[in-house]
Amino acid sequence: MRASHSEPRPDFPPPAPAPPPLRLLVADDNPVVRAGLTALLSDRPDTTVVAEATDGREAYEAALRHRPDVILLDVRMPGVDGISALPHLVRLAPVMMLTYSHETETVREALRLGAGGYLVHGEFTTEQLVTAVRDVREGRPHVTPGAARALLLALSEGAPAHDPDQPSPKLNDFSAESLSQLQRPVGQSFRRRFRLSAREAEIMDLIASGMTNQQIAAACFISEKTVKNHINHIFAKLHSTTRSQATAKWLGVS
């Protein structure tokens, strides 16, 4: 009988443990947006929302208490707005603007004050959002097309991008991949699938900002009855029955 002997087994190292999820703070005064983002980002192994805030002051207090890895910050909030809070928040954690505002001055000011990225609602998927959060945590800027267009507009007008006495983000900090992403036209946004008319999109923007029918009518110089008609058409196209449902779909958080 042939003697049996066992071959020595290679001593493989144990698999590396999965990194802990990125801890995020979501600051937005819109409860639908906050709830949607928290649900999306907490239902993943690589991200979790550790705190929420409704304005800049709450965001600062929550950041001191929870020490998040990244802060997702809206621009327009009652009380202390995002731009006012930004210089204080960037001392505590990297900040990514996650907002519906893409005015040229707002984008430039946010980046000048130290925001590590600027994402406009409706211009990114969940996976793109998570990638942007990781990149901002590592110091790699991310900007969605609407914000990029605002920056390009400022450059084309020859306007100074910042106060000479203040530091600004360096263009060479943007990777080639990031720059190529910035050149995608805003028209490729997922919102195109809703097929809203220009007027309906305008009204949906105002609904998402929290305006009442009366306020929308005043802003658009139309009657409340006309606003209601537009809203009925919008709800049908978004397959929604409430303002909250429509807003969540429009902002890409449903």
Side-chain angles (χ1 to χ4, degrees), residues 183-200:
Q183 295 170 4
R184 297 174 184 170
V186 179
Q188 291 183 7
S189 164
F190 78 95
R191 289 182 186 168
R192 293 184 62 183
R193 68 179 186 194
F194 296 131
R195 299 186 181 279
L196 267 58
S197 67
R199 175 61 99 179
E200 289 168 350

PDB file of all heavy atoms in Angstrom, residues 183-200:
ATOM      1  N   GLN A 183     -18.904  67.942 -19.424  1.00  0.00           N
ATOM      2  CA  GLN A 183     -19.268  68.395 -20.756  1.00  0.00           C
ATOM      3  C   GLN A 183     -20.556  67.762 -21.267  1.00  0.00           C
ATOM      4  O   GLN A 183     -21.009  68.088 -22.346  1.00  0.00           O
ATOM      5  CB  GLN A 183     -18.120  68.079 -21.720  1.00  0.00           C
ATOM      6  CG  GLN A 183     -16.859  68.876 -21.389  1.00  0.00           C
ATOM      7  CD  GLN A 183     -15.671  68.394 -22.171  1.00  0.00           C
ATOM      8  OE1 GLN A 183     -15.774  67.517 -23.007  1.00  0.00           O
ATOM      9  NE2 GLN A 183     -14.517  68.972 -21.902  1.00  0.00           N
ATOM     10  N   ARG A 184     -21.152  66.856 -20.480  1.00  0.00           N
ATOM     11  CA  ARG A 184     -22.416  66.291 -20.914  1.00  0.00           C
ATOM     12  C   ARG A 184     -23.490  67.361 -20.872  1.00  0.00           C
ATOM     13  O   ARG A 184     -23.628  68.069 -19.883  1.00  0.00           O
ATOM     14  CB  ARG A 184     -22.828  65.141 -19.994  1.00  0.00           C
ATOM     15  CG  ARG A 184     -21.862  63.973 -20.006  1.00  0.00           C
ATOM     16  CD  ARG A 184     -22.282  62.962 -18.965  1.00  0.00           C
ATOM     17  NE  ARG A 184     -21.329  61.865 -18.891  1.00  0.00           N
ATOM     18  CZ  ARG A 184     -21.361  60.939 -17.936  1.00  0.00           C
ATOM     19  NH1 ARG A 184     -22.271  60.993 -16.993  1.00  0.00           N
ATOM     20  NH2 ARG A 184     -20.472  59.974 -17.935  1.00  0.00           N
ATOM     21  N   PRO A 185     -24.292  67.524 -21.900  1.00  0.00           N
ATOM     22  CA  PRO A 185     -25.328  68.544 -21.878  1.00  0.00           C
ATOM     23  C   PRO A 185     -26.388  68.234 -20.839  1.00  0.00           C
ATOM     24  O   PRO A 185     -26.705  67.081 -20.579  1.00  0.00           O
ATOM     25  CB  PRO A 185     -25.917  68.484 -23.296  1.00  0.00           C
ATOM     26  CG  PRO A 185     -25.586  67.123 -23.801  1.00  0.00           C
ATOM     27  CD  PRO A 185     -24.280  66.751 -23.159  1.00  0.00           C
ATOM     28  N   VAL A 186     -26.911  69.294 -20.242  1.00  0.00           N
ATOM     29  CA  VAL A 186     -27.933  69.115 -19.222  1.00  0.00           C
ATOM     30  C   VAL A 186     -29.145  68.409 -19.794  1.00  0.00           C
ATOM     31  O   VAL A 186     -29.881  67.727 -19.094  1.00  0.00           O
ATOM     32  CB  VAL A 186     -28.334  70.495 -18.639  1.00  0.00           C
ATOM     33  CG1 VAL A 186     -29.415  70.339 -17.585  1.00  0.00           C
ATOM     34  CG2 VAL A 186     -27.124  71.189 -18.049  1.00  0.00           C
ATOM     35  N   GLY A 187     -29.380  68.520 -21.087  1.00  0.00           N
ATOM     36  CA  GLY A 187     -30.540  67.895 -21.697  1.00  0.00           C
ATOM     37  C   GLY A 187     -30.571  66.389 -21.556  1.00  0.00           C
ATOM     38  O   GLY A 187     -31.604  65.765 -21.743  1.00  0.00           O
ATOM     39  N   GLN A 188     -29.430  65.777 -21.202  1.00  0.00           N
ATOM     40  CA  GLN A 188     -29.406  64.340 -21.018  1.00  0.00           C
ATOM     41  C   GLN A 188     -29.874  63.935 -19.636  1.00  0.00           C
ATOM     42  O   GLN A 188     -29.858  62.771 -19.286  1.00  0.00           O
ATOM     43  CB  GLN A 188     -27.984  63.811 -21.263  1.00  0.00           C
ATOM     44  CG  GLN A 188     -27.555  63.901 -22.713  1.00  0.00           C
ATOM     45  CD  GLN A 188     -26.188  63.302 -22.924  1.00  0.00           C
ATOM     46  OE1 GLN A 188     -25.616  62.702 -22.026  1.00  0.00           O
ATOM     47  NE2 GLN A 188     -25.655  63.466 -24.116  1.00  0.00           N
ATOM     48  N   SER A 189     -30.301  64.911 -18.829  1.00  0.00           N
ATOM     49  CA  SER A 189     -30.805  64.609 -17.503  1.00  0.00           C
ATOM     50  C   SER A 189     -31.940  63.612 -17.591  1.00  0.00           C
ATOM     51  O   SER A 189     -32.718  63.599 -18.537  1.00  0.00           O
ATOM     52  CB  SER A 189     -31.291  65.900 -16.833  1.00  0.00           C
ATOM     53  OG  SER A 189     -32.108  65.602 -15.724  1.00  0.00           O
ATOM     54  N   PHE A 190     -32.050  62.780 -16.536  1.00  0.00           N
ATOM     55  CA  PHE A 190     -33.097  61.760 -16.542  1.00  0.00           C
ATOM     56  C   PHE A 190     -34.490  62.384 -16.570  1.00  0.00           C
ATOM     57  O   PHE A 190     -35.463  61.713 -16.864  1.00  0.00           O
ATOM     58  CB  PHE A 190     -32.940  60.879 -15.299  1.00  0.00           C
ATOM     59  CG  PHE A 190     -33.459  61.494 -14.040  1.00  0.00           C
ATOM     60  CD1 PHE A 190     -34.750  61.219 -13.602  1.00  0.00           C
ATOM     61  CD2 PHE A 190     -32.680  62.355 -13.288  1.00  0.00           C
ATOM     62  CE1 PHE A 190     -35.231  61.782 -12.440  1.00  0.00           C
ATOM     63  CE2 PHE A 190     -33.161  62.919 -12.131  1.00  0.00           C
ATOM     64  CZ  PHE A 190     -34.441  62.633 -11.705  1.00  0.00           C
ATOM     65  N   ARG A 191     -34.603  63.673 -16.295  1.00  0.00           N
ATOM     66  CA  ARG A 191     -35.927  64.304 -16.292  1.00  0.00           C
ATOM     67  C   ARG A 191     -36.589  64.309 -17.668  1.00  0.00           C
ATOM     68  O   ARG A 191     -37.804  64.461 -17.757  1.00  0.00           O
ATOM     69  CB  ARG A 191     -35.810  65.749 -15.814  1.00  0.00           C
ATOM     70  CG  ARG A 191     -35.509  65.871 -14.342  1.00  0.00           C
ATOM     71  CD  ARG A 191     -35.478  67.321 -13.980  1.00  0.00           C
ATOM     72  NE  ARG A 191     -35.047  67.493 -12.614  1.00  0.00           N
ATOM     73  CZ  ARG A 191     -34.708  68.660 -12.110  1.00  0.00           C
ATOM     74  NH1 ARG A 191     -34.748  69.727 -12.858  1.00  0.00           N
ATOM     75  NH2 ARG A 191     -34.331  68.757 -10.855  1.00  0.00           N
ATOM     76  N   ARG A 192     -35.800  64.158 -18.705  1.00  0.00           N
ATOM     77  CA  ARG A 192     -36.379  64.193 -20.058  1.00  0.00           C
ATOM     78  C   ARG A 192     -37.446  63.128 -20.229  1.00  0.00           C
ATOM     79  O   ARG A 192     -38.374  63.290 -21.003  1.00  0.00           O
ATOM     80  CB  ARG A 192     -35.283  64.007 -21.095  1.00  0.00           C
ATOM     81  CG  ARG A 192     -34.290  65.167 -21.157  1.00  0.00           C
ATOM     82  CD  ARG A 192     -33.288  64.966 -22.257  1.00  0.00           C
ATOM     83  NE  ARG A 192     -33.912  64.907 -23.572  1.00  0.00           N
ATOM     84  CZ  ARG A 192     -33.241  64.671 -24.697  1.00  0.00           C
ATOM     85  NH1 ARG A 192     -31.948  64.445 -24.639  1.00  0.00           N
ATOM     86  NH2 ARG A 192     -33.853  64.643 -25.844  1.00  0.00           N
ATOM     87  N   ARG A 193     -37.317  62.038 -19.490  1.00  0.00           N
ATOM     88  CA  ARG A 193     -38.287  60.953 -19.658  1.00  0.00           C
ATOM     89  C   ARG A 193     -39.681  61.363 -19.209  1.00  0.00           C
ATOM     90  O   ARG A 193     -40.665  60.753 -19.618  1.00  0.00           O
ATOM     91  CB  ARG A 193     -37.842  59.730 -18.854  1.00  0.00           C
ATOM     92  CG  ARG A 193     -37.907  59.973 -17.365  1.00  0.00           C
ATOM     93  CD  ARG A 193     -37.492  58.793 -16.560  1.00  0.00           C
ATOM     94  NE  ARG A 193     -37.744  59.128 -15.164  1.00  0.00           N
ATOM     95  CZ  ARG A 193     -37.289  58.468 -14.139  1.00  0.00           C
ATOM     96  NH1 ARG A 193     -36.577  57.462 -14.341  1.00  0.00           N
ATOM     97  NH2 ARG A 193     -37.562  58.806 -12.918  1.00  0.00           N
ATOM     98  N   PHE A 194     -39.786  62.402 -18.364  1.00  0.00           N
ATOM     99  CA  PHE A 194     -41.105  62.826 -17.898  1.00  0.00           C
ATOM    100  C   PHE A 194     -41.873  63.610 -18.958  1.00  0.00           C
ATOM    101  O   PHE A 194     -43.081  63.771 -18.867  1.00  0.00           O
ATOM    102  CB  PHE A 194     -40.969  63.681 -16.626  1.00  0.00           C
ATOM    103  CG  PHE A 194     -40.399  62.941 -15.459  1.00  0.00           C
ATOM    104  CD1 PHE A 194     -39.349  63.493 -14.724  1.00  0.00           C
ATOM    105  CD2 PHE A 194     -40.873  61.700 -15.086  1.00  0.00           C
ATOM    106  CE1 PHE A 194     -38.812  62.824 -13.639  1.00  0.00           C
ATOM    107  CE2 PHE A 194     -40.341  61.018 -13.999  1.00  0.00           C
ATOM    108  CZ  PHE A 194     -39.304  61.584 -13.284  1.00  0.00           C
ATOM    109  N   ARG A 195     -41.153  64.153 -19.935  1.00  0.00           N
ATOM    110  CA  ARG A 195     -41.751  64.872 -21.066  1.00  0.00           C
ATOM    111  C   ARG A 195     -42.632  66.044 -20.612  1.00  0.00           C
ATOM    112  O   ARG A 195     -43.717  66.266 -21.149  1.00  0.00           O
ATOM    113  CB  ARG A 195     -42.561  63.908 -21.950  1.00  0.00           C
ATOM    114  CG  ARG A 195     -41.717  62.795 -22.537  1.00  0.00           C
ATOM    115  CD  ARG A 195     -42.501  61.938 -23.507  1.00  0.00           C
ATOM    116  NE  ARG A 195     -41.681  60.860 -24.042  1.00  0.00           N
ATOM    117  CZ  ARG A 195     -40.821  60.990 -25.037  1.00  0.00           C
ATOM    118  NH1 ARG A 195     -40.657  62.169 -25.611  1.00  0.00           N
ATOM    119  NH2 ARG A 195     -40.121  59.960 -25.458  1.00  0.00           N
ATOM    120  N   LEU A 196     -42.146  66.775 -19.625  1.00  0.00           N
ATOM    121  CA  LEU A 196     -42.852  67.977 -19.212  1.00  0.00           C
ATOM    122  C   LEU A 196     -42.552  69.114 -20.187  1.00  0.00           C
ATOM    123  O   LEU A 196     -41.440  69.217 -20.711  1.00  0.00           O
ATOM    124  CB  LEU A 196     -42.433  68.404 -17.804  1.00  0.00           C
ATOM    125  CG  LEU A 196     -43.274  67.883 -16.629  1.00  0.00           C
ATOM    126  CD1 LEU A 196     -43.304  66.369 -16.614  1.00  0.00           C
ATOM    127  CD2 LEU A 196     -42.748  68.435 -15.317  1.00  0.00           C
ATOM    128  N   SER A 197     -43.556  69.960 -20.418  1.00  0.00           N
ATOM    129  CA  SER A 197     -43.321  71.149 -21.232  1.00  0.00           C
ATOM    130  C   SER A 197     -42.454  72.122 -20.435  1.00  0.00           C
ATOM    131  O   SER A 197     -42.238  71.937 -19.228  1.00  0.00           O
ATOM    132  CB  SER A 197     -44.647  71.820 -21.592  1.00  0.00           C
ATOM    133  OG  SER A 197     -45.257  72.356 -20.427  1.00  0.00           O
ATOM    134  N   ALA A 198     -41.950  73.158 -21.091  1.00  0.00           N
ATOM    135  CA  ALA A 198     -41.106  74.140 -20.405  1.00  0.00           C
ATOM    136  C   ALA A 198     -41.859  74.780 -19.251  1.00  0.00           C
ATOM    137  O   ALA A 198     -41.305  74.970 -18.162  1.00  0.00           O
ATOM    138  CB  ALA A 198     -40.638  75.208 -21.390  1.00  0.00           C
ATOM    139  N   ARG A 199     -43.127  75.115 -19.462  1.00  0.00           N
ATOM    140  CA  ARG A 199     -43.933  75.722 -18.404  1.00  0.00           C
ATOM    141  C   ARG A 199     -44.180  74.732 -17.269  1.00  0.00           C
ATOM    142  O   ARG A 199     -44.097  75.090 -16.089  1.00  0.00           O
ATOM    143  CB  ARG A 199     -45.263  76.226 -18.969  1.00  0.00           C
ATOM    144  CG  ARG A 199     -46.221  76.766 -17.908  1.00  0.00           C
ATOM    145  CD  ARG A 199     -45.616  77.944 -17.163  1.00  0.00           C
ATOM    146  NE  ARG A 199     -46.102  79.204 -17.683  1.00  0.00           N
ATOM    147  CZ  ARG A 199     -45.761  80.396 -17.202  1.00  0.00           C
ATOM    148  NH1 ARG A 199     -44.889  80.474 -16.212  1.00  0.00           N
ATOM    149  NH2 ARG A 199     -46.240  81.503 -17.730  1.00  0.00           N
ATOM    150  N   GLU A 200     -44.466  73.479 -17.622  1.00  0.00           N
ATOM    151  CA  GLU A 200     -44.703  72.469 -16.593  1.00  0.00           C
ATOM    152  C   GLU A 200     -43.438  72.225 -15.775  1.00  0.00           C
ATOM    153  O   GLU A 200     -43.504  72.066 -14.546  1.00  0.00           O
ATOM    154  CB  GLU A 200     -45.181  71.167 -17.239  1.00  0.00           C
ATOM    155  CG  GLU A 200     -46.594  71.241 -17.791  1.00  0.00           C
ATOM    156  CD  GLU A 200     -46.943  70.056 -18.672  1.00  0.00           C
ATOM    157  OE1 GLU A 200     -46.023  69.268 -19.014  1.00  0.00           O
ATOM    158  OE2 GLU A 200     -48.123  69.922 -19.039  1.00  0.00           O
TER     159      GLU A 200
END
